Amino acid sequence: MNLEEYKGVFVFAQQVDNKVSGIALELIGEGKRLAEKLSTEVTAVLVGSGVKDLADELAAYGADKVIVVDDPELKEYRTEPYAHALASVIDKYKPEILLVGATAIGRDLGPRVSARVHTGLTADCTSLEIGDFPINPIPGKEQKHNQLLMTRPAFGGNTIATIACPDFRPQMATVRPGVMQKLEKKEGAKAVVEEFNPGFTPDSKYVEIVEIVKNITDTVDIMDAKILVSGGRGVGSPENFKLLDDLAEAIGGTVSCSRAVVDAGWKSKDLQVGQTGKTVRPSVYFAIGISGAIQHLAGMEESDIIVAINKDETAPIFDVADYGVVGDLNKIVPMLTEQIKAAVANK
Amino acid sequence: MDFTLSKEHEMARSLFREFAEKEVKPLAIEVDETEEFPKETVAKMAKAGFMGIPIPKEYGGQGCDVLTYAICVEELAKVCGTTAVIVSAHTSLCCDPILTYGTEEQKQKYLPDLASGKKIGAFGLTEPGAGTDAQGQQTKAVLEGDEWVLNGSKIFITNGKEADVYVIFAITGMIEKRGRMTKEISAFIVEKGTPGFTFGTKEKKMGIRGSSTYELIFTDCRIPKENMLGQQGKGFGIAMHTLDGGRIGIAAQALGIGEGALDRTIAYVQERKQFGRAIGAFQNTQFQLADMATKAQAAQYMVYKAACTKDQYTKDHKTSYNVEAAMAKLYAAEMAMEVTTKAVQLHGGYGYTREYEVERMMRDAKITEIYEGTSEVQRMVISANLLK
């Protein structure tokens, strides 16, 4: 493999229903930053059916070039034709770096493509840099420059690993959505658009899609939720849980509660967090009006980030909270909801 | 030294035993199965004067000594652990601190109704984060004008929701002690029905299932300034001293549970036949019974000694009884656990059924090693005294 042949930063521009996914724009923003360090360009690879029109949007967010693979076989995401499309693009254009969003689609597609083109892939990265590898020189080992250093949490977030792919190209990474910044939109920006179709011959590996179901599940198992908005006795009444419902909706979270709330009959037992309820480990846990008895902490202290809102500054919940607000939840929670809504709207 | 009980004590015992056999025993299974507080039994006990045995007559009590009270709890526990702890918590944990630390007004106001059993008492110290480490209190009391405002919660409170008068502990501030800021704890008398004072959930327990064990919740609960019990900041001492006395009640309960199980086992092994003879004829059974009876006897002397030492304290206000109480509770509780476990074993498969009642005694016995200070706390108290 002649590494010198591989040039440019490519990003997989994920679209669903002919709408560009947010992760695609985030990857272009990040790709642009990496490309500048390498004095090269960022190319978006747009795969789908009837998606050519989306190229302008990708350009507006910073793509210098857009490669469009447009074919009826690519109407919906399916592993085989999409992997064929992306692998064929790599074979033809030989990118140095290829970024894919770590969405359900990207996590399926990335490994297929990397295996097909025989290169390394780092999954679910949270930080990307261009630098030397090994990071510190090791006597007797060549230190390569301008490598993509891919950083990701490993072992359930207990350690941070920085990984490089010095001997194969492209250097592939799937990137966690929401971590990278998209660029300011430039209306009217144009990119060089190039169409490329490797041809698709459906075979037995092509999955047949029977039905696509789109719905918002009402009942989420709190153990699976990424964000929990948990209320305690301090919420005051079952009606007052509306404040938590609003916050949960704004932030895409699920409402859970403490034992006191279940005992009071405000919520059902399956939403109880704690020693005698469920043990949860979400990315973010909002403890609202929860004093933080050890029996509750035992069920949630492994959460990645704990945000406590309580009027009592000596409440034990603050001992485990990463962020805490002392004050009246009736005032703070609606304000927080508003701020989150505004932030989401601006995104 | 005289090991025989006085005539008065013997008479009192036969009265308690008759009541226990006639009124309490027939209901014991039902109380355990339904987990319902035996209101009617308590009313009958009130009428018989069981709710104020060691309270002086001037405050409406029976004016008897602590030993009489311990014998009462023991006799009740022989047939029903639940009924015994209702009397014990009421007397030792609510009446006693009011009698010891209350002002004359407080005693006049609360003791007659409590001693007559018109009202029931409870004691609120334990919190989710403050069990053995009672100093880890979170409940707060803030003085606003003429009222203390209580916020916080208490758990595992015996007689909770059924009681009318509660002795509650709360933090009233921070004080410097040996260069460190520590919590200043004070005691209060709180009445049921005070706005802001509500009950949480009823605990579902392994044993003493008829005794009502509740969470108490205080949300901006305002009580009059004069409801502070004892001096401000002296709450921890009041709690500890109250528990010293309470331990005699629990020791008597454990003693009664062990003796009750032993009585039933003695009767059972004489009736039950295997291999053509009563199982009591086997030496294994005989030796087991000998061990059980010896330990129960040892426990009884320890409980009675602790009670008599507290009686001495009542007279001279000097004699300390905390070590005697801790030893009695530690030993009696461990005896109860061991004896009830053996009782179930000697009953064989029948002992494991609810019909034969020894399994209930085994379940009831376990809590005596835990509440009013775990066995480990008793060992701390005893060893601290040895090494002082």
Side-chain angles (χ1 to χ4, degrees):
Chain A
M1 179 175 267
N2 182 3
L3 302 186
E4 299 300 315
E5 282 179 19
Y6 290 79
K7 291 274 179 248
V9 177
F10 280 41
V11 306
F12 171 68
Q14 181 184 314
Q15 57 77 27
V16 176
D17 292 342
N18 290 17
K19 277 197 199 88
V20 174
S21 303
I23 181 66
L25 307 178
E26 291 170 22
L27 290 183
I28 292 170
E30 177 66 9
K32 190 91 177 164
R33 195 178 68 82
L34 299 173
E36 274 163 15
K37 291 193 179 167
L38 296 168
S39 311
T40 176
E41 292 186 325
V42 60
T43 304
V45 183
L46 184 57
V47 181
S49 172
V51 292
K52 270 173 245 170
D53 298 346
L54 302 178
D56 286 347
E57 189 181 350
L58 300 175
Y61 280 95
D64 300 302
K65 189 174 170 187
V66 180
I67 296 169
V68 182
V69 186
D70 203 315
D71 192 286
E73 288 294 339
L74 301 166
K75 189 163 184 307
E76 273 112 16
Y77 174 77
R78 284 180 296 168
T79 309
E80 181 60 31
Y82 268 65
H84 174 63
L86 198 52
S88 303
V89 167
I90 292 167
D91 286 342
K92 173 149 196 257
Y93 294 92
K94 301 195 186 317
E96 192 176 3
I97 291 171
L98 175 62
L99 306 179
V100 178
T103 58
I105 288 174
R107 285 170 196 240
D108 183 67
L109 180 62
R112 303 286 185 149
V113 172
S114 71
R116 222 164 264 209
V117 302
H118 195 264
T119 188
L121 170 85
T122 304
D124 211 14
C125 296
T126 52
S127 166
L128 299 170
E129 282 305 328
I130 301 296
D132 298 336
F133 187 86
I135 296 169
N136 298 312
I138 297 169
K141 192 163 181 185
E142 185 198 355
Q143 191 183 30
K144 297 189 174 181
H145 306 298
N146 289 335
Q147 300 294 307
L148 180 65
L149 304 179
M150 300 167 277
T151 300
R152 59 155 301 171
F155 297 110
N158 289 325
T159 188
I160 299 291
T162 299
I163 298 164
C165 174
D167 300 327
F168 294 92
R169 290 294 180 265
Q171 304 162 88
M172 280 184 69
T174 61
V175 179
R176 191 176 282 197
V179 180
M180 305 304 178
Q181 302 292 321
K182 55 185 165 186
L183 299 173
E184 198 111 335
K185 188 173 185 181
K186 272 194 202 149
E187 293 292 351
K190 288 285 172 197
V192 180
V193 178
E194 194 168 321
E195 287 192 52
F196 169 69
N197 192 326
F200 295 89
T201 36
D203 58 29
S204 61
K205 291 178 194 155
Y206 275 33
V207 168
E208 185 193 344
I209 295 176
V210 179
E211 191 186 0
I212 295 173
V213 180
K214 290 178 186 168
N215 70 343
I216 300 153
T217 46
D218 281 342
T219 50
V220 183
D221 186 344
I222 59 170
M223 292 174 82
D224 297 335
K226 290 264 178 261
I227 299 175
L228 281 176
V229 178
S230 207
R233 182 182 289 132
V235 174
S237 68
E239 295 74 38
N240 221 17
F241 260 88
K242 174 85 170 65
L243 298 175
L244 275 69
D245 293 338
D246 291 346
L247 173 58
E249 198 188 321
I251 203 166
T254 305
V255 170
S256 58
C257 65
S258 71
R259 180 184 160 189
V261 168
V262 176
D263 289 344
W266 301 348
K267 291 278 171 199
S268 68
K269 174 90 181 166
D270 56 349
L271 298 183
Q272 182 192 327
V273 172
Q275 249 166 18
T276 56
K278 288 179 173 159
T279 300
V280 297
R281 197 184 170 167
S283 307
V284 186
Y285 188 88
F286 288 91
I288 301 174
I290 293 176
S291 67
I294 186 69
Q295 294 79 4
H296 186 80
L297 301 186
M300 46 63 78
E301 63 189 345
E302 295 286 302
S303 303
D304 294 345
I305 295 172
I306 297 168
V307 183
I309 301 171
N310 203 296
K311 65 179 179 183
D312 179 3
E313 65 183 63
T314 64
I317 190 73
F318 289 118
D319 297 341
V320 299
D322 297 281
Y323 304 96
V325 188
V326 177
D328 182 358
L329 67 90
N330 292 301
K331 291 186 187 135
I332 294 162
V333 175
M335 280 161 70
L336 183 61
T337 306
E338 284 311 310
Q339 291 293 321
I340 287 167
K341 276 187 188 161
V344 170
N346 286 335
K347 204 174 175 186
Chain B
M1 184 174 260
D2 184 1
F3 284 102
T4 52
L5 284 180
S6 70
K7 211 170 164 193
E8 289 77 24
H9 286 121
E10 285 293 1
M11 274 173 60
R13 183 196 287 286
S14 60
L15 171 75
F16 300 141
R17 184 171 293 173
E18 195 189 320
F19 183 89
E21 288 288 329
K22 221 172 93 189
E23 303 287 352
V24 183
K25 196 178 174 185
L27 292 174
I29 290 181
E30 191 188 322
V31 163
D32 181 65
E33 293 267 343
T34 59
E35 302 193 37
E36 271 174 29
F37 189 84
K39 276 201 173 89
E40 285 171 17
T41 310
V42 172
K44 283 176 189 163
M45 290 196 294
K47 216 171 154 192
F50 290 10
M51 304 305 276
I53 295 168
I55 313 294
K57 286 195 169 140
E58 55 188 299
Y59 299 116
Q62 301 301 315
C64 296
D65 58 10
V66 179
L67 181 55
T68 311
Y69 156 69
I71 293 170
C72 174
V73 175
E74 178 190 0
E75 289 299 327
L76 292 171
K78 278 187 188 174
V79 296
C80 177
T82 289
T83 309
V85 77
I86 292 169
V87 173
S88 179
H90 165 86
T91 310
S92 290
L93 299 185
C94 183
C95 300
D96 195 72
I98 295 175
L99 181 66
T100 311
Y101 297 99
T103 61
E104 194 51 41
E105 289 77 28
Q106 287 170 338
K107 290 192 218 181
Q108 293 290 356
K109 185 174 176 194
Y110 292 106
L111 286 178
D113 282 350
L114 287 167
S116 68
K118 204 169 143 192
K119 287 185 175 172
I120 297 174
F123 176 85
L125 175 69
T126 299
E127 296 187 9
T132 292
D133 178 12
Q135 204 111 39
Q137 303 271 313
Q138 287 288 333
T139 299
K140 290 181 187 64
V142 180
L143 188 63
E144 282 182 16
D146 285 343
E147 292 173 321
W148 287 99
V149 184
L150 268 64
N151 273 293
S153 67
K154 298 286 171 184
I155 54 159
F156 300 157
I157 306 309
T158 304
N159 292 349
K161 206 166 185 174
E162 300 295 336
D164 308 279
V165 180
Y166 295 77
V167 173
I168 300 293
F169 296 84
I171 306 166
T172 43
M174 301 294 287
I175 44 164
E176 203 181 302
K177 224 178 194 176
R178 292 185 214 105
R180 274 208 327 233
M181 295 305 283
T182 52
K183 289 169 182 170
E184 177 200 272
I185 296 169
S186 302
F188 299 91
I189 302 171
V190 185
E191 293 178 50
K192 180 153 83 177
T194 309
F197 174 21
T198 54
F199 299 96
T201 191
K202 179 180 175 177
E203 298 298 339
K204 299 190 187 100
K205 306 188 295 295
M206 173 197 271
I208 55 164
R209 289 170 49 166
S211 88
S212 127
T213 309
Y214 266 90
E215 181 181 17
L216 316 180
I217 303 162
F218 301 97
T219 317
D220 292 329
C221 172
R222 293 173 173 272
I223 55 168
K225 196 176 166 185
E226 59 268 23
N227 276 28
M228 177 176 274
L229 183 62
Q231 289 172 332
Q232 183 170 342
K234 298 287 183 194
F236 191 73
I238 294 174
M240 292 304 115
H241 188 249
T242 300
L243 289 172
D244 285 340
R247 280 164 194 162
I248 300 172
I250 298 309
Q253 185 203 17
L255 170 63
I257 292 172
E259 289 173 328
L262 178 60
D263 290 347
R264 278 154 192 269
T265 308
I266 292 168
Y268 184 80
V269 300
Q270 289 174 293
E271 289 160 5
R272 171 74 171 166
K273 286 198 175 73
Q274 288 289 280
F275 301 104
R277 47 186 175 154
I279 59 172
F282 293 96
Q283 199 170 44
N284 173 61
T285 310
Q286 293 161 359
F287 285 4
Q288 298 275 351
L289 285 175
D291 286 349
M292 290 157 78
T294 305
K295 286 183 179 173
Q297 177 70 86
Q300 191 182 51
Y301 287 140
M302 294 182 83
V303 175
Y304 288 5
K305 170 157 188 231
C308 292
T309 314
K310 185 165 192 287
D311 277 326
Q312 190 58 38
Y313 167 84
T314 316
K315 285 177 200 137
D316 63 17
H317 288 277
K318 279 204 297 261
T319 309
S320 108
Y321 56 89
N322 66 327
V323 176
E324 282 82 356
M327 284 180 168
K329 182 186 177 275
L330 169 64
Y331 189 81
E334 296 195 342
M335 177 279 291
M337 199 62 235
E338 189 185 329
V339 167
T340 53
T341 308
K342 284 184 170 167
V344 171
Q345 186 69 20
L346 287 170
H347 276 71
Y350 296 100
Y352 197 66
T353 68
R354 298 213 288 269
E355 204 181 335
Y356 281 78
E357 301 194 63
V358 281
E359 64 81 33
R360 186 189 78 235
M361 295 174 171
M362 181 175 157
R363 286 187 285 110
D364 286 355
K366 184 63 207 175
I367 189 60
T368 64
E369 293 185 315
I370 299 170
Y371 64 9
E372 301 202 21
T374 60
S375 289
E376 291 71 23
V377 163
Q378 310 312 327
R379 289 185 168 95
M380 282 160 62
V381 171
I382 297 160
S383 59
N385 185 265
L386 296 175
L387 300 172
K388 77 180 173 192

